[in-house]
Amino acid sequence: MSILIIFKLLGSLALLMFGMKSMSEALQKMAGPQLRHVLGAMTTNRFTGMLTGMLVTASVQSSTATTVMTVSFVNAGLLTLAQAISVIMGANIGTTLTAWIMSAGMSFDITSAVYPAFFLGIILIYQKRYRYIGDFLFGLSFLLLGLGTLRATGTEMHLGENQALLDFFASFDPTSFVTTIIFLLLGGILTFCVQSSAAVMAITMILCSSGALPIYQGIALVMGENIGTTVTSNLAAMSANTQARRAALAHMFFNVFGVIWILFIFRPFIDMVCGWVGYDVDMTKEIAGTGAFLANSAKLSFVLAAFHTSFNVANTMILIWFIPQIEKFVCWVIKSKRFDEEEDFRLHFITAGFMKTPELSVLEAQKEISSFSERMQRMFGMVKELLDLSSSQQNKNKNNEQTFNKLFTRIEKYESISDNMELEIARYLESVSDAHLSDDTKAKIRAMLREVSELESIGDSCYNMARTINRKFSAKQDHFIEKQYEHLHQMMGLTDQALTQMNQLMGGRKEAFNVNRTFNIENEINNYRNQLKAQNIIDVNNHEYTYAEGTIYIDLINECEKLGDYVVNVVEARMGTRQREA
């Protein structure tokens, strides 16, 4: 075997893997948002969940993409873990379409057909409106070119006539259970090392269709690939949140359970699949002749694809009735982390190593920003509580000072958390923006960077108010009169309404959001601020309170008005409207 053939083999595998990746990303860019809506809407029960997972995965050609979308919906509370498991089961069926595409590529010479597709693809790429279709054609063409080159290289290597290779596989007893386990483990290890079940499936098809690898060992490799790909996702999910790790474990449980029961009926099941495809299991080269034997072996790529589909369909039909039990099992194995959300900084949705595509990474970032937004409203609620604790009536309570200081420390902690969240989310978005993105996704990233900046400014405003209240409380002699407290509570009530409107938008769909409500609240805040500033001058002149008290009072009023402006900026960023002039 020459070094050139080895490089052709490796190069064709690289083309295959690159083509799969490019095709999947292009499909997600074309249909990602719509598929996410389908995924959220069509999972009313376990069967529709399974069908949805199957259709979405077949559409984007990536079970990982479907799993990631599903986990994000679980985290957002749009899907239960049980519904997510049904979607993952469907994803296992949908991903078998890849094996059928590969088996077709192995059975027919399709390399001549890819060149017109390349030509058409480059024309579409340079036309802005259709460039994602062009990306898809390029990805599909690379995939088919890789398969065609792999097929030609396998033929050139004469694997079916390589005596050393034949002797190696013949050294394993085909009827032995140990042989099946060895090839199963080998398939899992190869998939884990290569990080691509498609590449290992292609190698298996080449070995089987050339007549070098017996069908039973080949199918054992395929079963190992199913487990190997789940090991990869479980390792990737180790740094992820609890629900992501549970979903990954459910995926592994699904495949491991399937492999266990299929081992009990291993040969009868394979013989049944071979009968469907028309492959003669008992044919040998010595009896049938080389031509008939190779023609029979050429059907093996379809046998592998048929087994892959039959295995996943049968496994789903068995396990779909036990989804509640699977959910209990994964929840028992992976228990929820206990942490004090008020005191600890931790991103809930963005996880290192688990996100696979830029389009889906953006979805996770949106969920994180929504969580950031809710946290800022909680922080503002603490400021309102701090104001109540600073009143002269509350000061009569002996334990009030300790309670006040504890709450002020929590607000300081929240301010530090908001700074960290802004930096971490912005850093994550910057890393995502380095990838090849659609214009729509680029615009979303720009908007989200603006959102996190404005949300951090809301945190700063809350902290500024807390420090002002703390300064007044520490002075001990300066207390607002009842009228000032009433005005501050009314202003803070309007500001809290604005924050509530913002969080409704951040947690929902912008198409259903009435932005005029936010603008109306902002106008109310502005008008009330102007009214209170004018009244403050009159009250100070009438000696209702001191100038120093009036200054602190107006500082709080102005900070509320600033916070309202930041809220409007967040809403405008999410709605995609132009930033207003200062």
Side-chain angles (χ1 to χ4, degrees):
M1 188 184 297
S2 70
I3 192 73
L4 180 62
I5 288 181
I6 292 173
F7 277 120
K8 276 184 75 175
L9 183 68
L10 294 174
S12 55
L13 281 172
L15 269 178
L16 169 71
M17 292 165 69
F18 177 75
M20 277 294 299
K21 180 175 180 291
S22 301
M23 187 176 74
S24 176
E25 288 184 358
L27 283 165
Q28 288 177 59
K29 286 173 190 172
M30 283 192 287
Q34 288 79 7
L35 287 172
R36 288 199 291 270
H37 297 155
V38 168
L39 193 61
M42 288 183 60
T43 50
T44 52
N45 59 58
R46 66 186 74 181
F47 297 103
T48 57
M50 183 265 292
L51 289 171
T52 304
M54 184 173 69
L55 292 171
V56 170
T57 305
S59 300
V60 298
Q61 281 297 289
S62 173
S63 58
T64 301
T66 306
T67 302
V68 170
M69 278 192 279
T70 304
V71 169
S72 72
F73 280 123
V74 174
N75 286 332
L78 300 175
L79 290 180
T80 64
L81 182 60
Q83 288 172 320
I85 292 170
S86 70
V87 173
I88 290 168
M89 287 180 177
N92 273 277
I93 298 174
T95 196
T96 61
L97 179 63
T98 305
W100 287 102
I101 294 171
M102 293 171 67
S103 64
M106 289 292 179
S107 303
F108 310 107
D109 184 11
I110 46 168
T111 51
S112 56
V114 302
Y115 299 110
F118 273 127
F119 179 70
L120 179 60
I122 198 67
I123 292 173
L124 293 174
I125 284 172
Y126 281 101
Q127 293 186 18
K128 189 173 182 180
R129 186 176 175 185
Y130 301 107
R131 68 183 179 282
Y132 302 134
I133 299 174
D135 286 339
F136 167 74
L137 281 176
F138 252 68
L140 181 61
S141 300
F142 275 123
L143 168 65
L144 296 177
L145 182 62
L147 285 170
T149 310
L150 199 61
R151 175 177 174 271
T153 306
T155 305
E156 193 177 336
M157 291 167 71
H158 304 292
L159 296 173
E161 299 166 19
N162 188 318
Q163 199 58 45
L165 191 65
L166 291 171
D167 290 342
F168 171 75
F169 289 126
S171 65
F172 295 95
D173 181 3
T175 61
S176 170
F177 181 74
V178 175
T179 299
T180 303
I181 297 298
I182 289 171
F183 277 86
L184 191 150
L185 292 173
L186 183 62
I189 293 166
L190 278 173
T191 305
F192 176 71
C193 294
V194 178
Q195 295 282 299
S196 172
S197 58
V200 180
M201 174 70 86
I203 294 169
T204 307
M205 285 181 173
I206 284 288
L207 289 169
C208 286
S209 57
S210 65
L213 180 65
I215 183 60
Y216 296 110
Q217 283 93 315
I219 283 179
L221 279 175
V222 172
M223 288 162 59
E225 291 158 19
N226 275 344
I227 295 176
T229 192
T230 64
V231 171
T232 303
S233 64
N234 271 271
L235 288 175
M238 283 179 69
S239 61
N241 52 53
T242 302
Q243 295 290 38
R245 289 185 294 123
R246 285 172 177 169
L249 180 61
H251 191 196
M252 175 180 270
F253 176 86
F254 176 86
N255 283 309
V256 170
F257 179 85
V259 167
I260 289 170
W261 73 257
I262 209 79
L263 286 173
F264 287 101
I265 54 168
F266 188 62
R267 285 181 171 271
F269 192 88
I270 293 171
D271 291 343
M272 177 184 70
V273 173
C274 289
W276 291 344
V277 178
Y279 172 76
D280 188 350
V281 181
D282 301 316
M283 183 182 289
T284 61
K285 188 187 294 185
E286 291 76 16
I287 297 173
T290 303
F293 177 76
L294 291 176
N296 190 47
S297 297
K299 298 175 183 176
L300 280 174
S301 58
F302 286 106
V303 172
L304 290 170
F307 170 81
H308 197 208
T309 303
S310 303
F311 165 75
N312 282 294
V313 169
N315 201 25
T316 299
M317 291 302 101
I318 293 169
L319 288 178
I320 199 166
W321 305 102
F322 299 98
I323 286 176
Q325 288 74 22
I326 296 172
E327 181 184 18
K328 287 178 183 175
F329 171 73
V330 296
C331 290
W332 174 74
V333 174
I334 301 175
K335 294 179 171 59
S336 298
K337 291 180 181 177
R338 292 185 179 181
F339 66 96
D340 186 353
E341 187 186 32
E342 308 296 343
E343 303 300 330
D344 289 344
F345 162 64
R346 184 174 76 95
L347 296 180
H348 294 269
F349 303 98
I350 292 174
T351 51
F354 193 61
M355 300 300 109
K356 296 296 180 185
T357 63
E359 305 291 326
L360 294 170
S361 299
V362 168
L363 176 65
E364 297 305 297
Q366 284 180 336
K367 304 294 181 189
E368 199 66 70
I369 292 170
S370 178
S371 174
F372 188 7
S373 176
E374 290 170 3
R375 195 188 287 261
M376 290 303 94
Q377 187 167 16
R378 286 199 298 274
M379 185 179 181
F380 184 72
M382 292 179 202
V383 174
K384 290 167 67 181
E385 188 180 344
L386 195 72
L387 178 67
D388 290 338
L389 288 172
S390 72
S391 70
S392 57
Q393 291 177 347
Q394 287 288 343
N395 258 334
K396 294 175 184 176
N397 186 344
K398 292 180 180 178
N399 298 322
N400 184 62
E401 187 170 352
Q402 185 180 355
T403 307
F404 182 94
N405 291 333
K406 186 178 178 181
L407 183 57
F408 181 71
T409 302
R410 281 178 64 194
I411 293 171
E412 281 186 310
K413 183 78 74 175
Y414 257 62
E415 203 277 330
S416 176
I417 288 171
S418 72
D419 290 343
N420 287 330
M421 288 192 78
E422 180 197 17
L423 290 174
E424 290 297 320
I425 297 171
R427 190 177 293 125
Y428 181 76
L429 289 171
E430 284 171 1
S431 67
V432 172
S433 64
D434 290 336
H436 180 58
L437 302 169
S438 64
D439 287 343
D440 181 50
T441 304
K442 287 176 184 175
K444 282 180 184 175
I445 288 177
R446 286 194 298 271
M448 285 191 283
L449 286 169
R450 183 180 164 199
E451 285 167 22
V452 293
S453 174
E454 299 294 346
L455 285 169
E456 194 276 333
S457 296
I458 290 174
D460 287 344
S461 274
C462 289
Y463 184 51
N464 288 339
M465 281 190 273
R467 285 195 303 175
T468 302
I469 295 168
N470 183 54
R471 190 168 74 244
K472 182 186 79 70
F473 183 79
S474 300
K476 295 192 183 297
Q477 74 273 16
D478 294 329
H479 299 296
F480 294 143
I481 63 173
E482 194 63 35
K483 183 169 69 172
Q484 286 175 305
Y485 277 116
E486 287 177 10
H487 293 159
L488 282 168
H489 284 136
Q490 191 169 345
M491 175 62 94
M492 286 185 167
L494 286 170
T495 309
D496 196 48
Q497 284 180 41
L499 286 165
T500 301
Q501 287 289 306
M502 177 185 75
N503 279 315
Q504 284 178 2
L505 171 62
M506 303 302 275
R509 293 183 64 181
K510 64 183 183 181
E511 292 82 3
F513 183 75
N514 181 9
V515 73
N516 290 327
R517 175 65 180 147
T518 297
F519 291 143
N520 290 339
I521 294 172
E522 187 209 10
N523 288 332
E524 283 187 62
I525 291 172
N526 290 341
N527 293 335
Y528 196 48
R529 185 272 316 265
N530 294 337
Q531 178 187 332
L532 292 178
K533 282 179 75 174
Q535 185 63 44
N536 178 64
I537 295 170
I538 296 169
D539 291 341
V540 169
N541 287 335
N542 292 336
H543 304 291
E544 292 192 29
Y545 45 81
T546 65
Y547 181 81
E549 290 172 351
T551 302
I552 294 173
Y553 166 67
I554 288 301
D555 282 347
L556 291 173
I557 296 296
N558 284 333
E559 207 62 59
C560 281
E561 192 276 330
K562 270 197 223 173
L563 198 154
D565 287 342
Y566 297 139
V567 167
V568 171
N569 290 342
V570 172
V571 170
E572 287 182 337
R574 177 54 64 96
M575 296 297 290
T577 55
R578 187 175 60 85
Q579 190 163 1
R580 297 169 302 158
E581 296 294 330

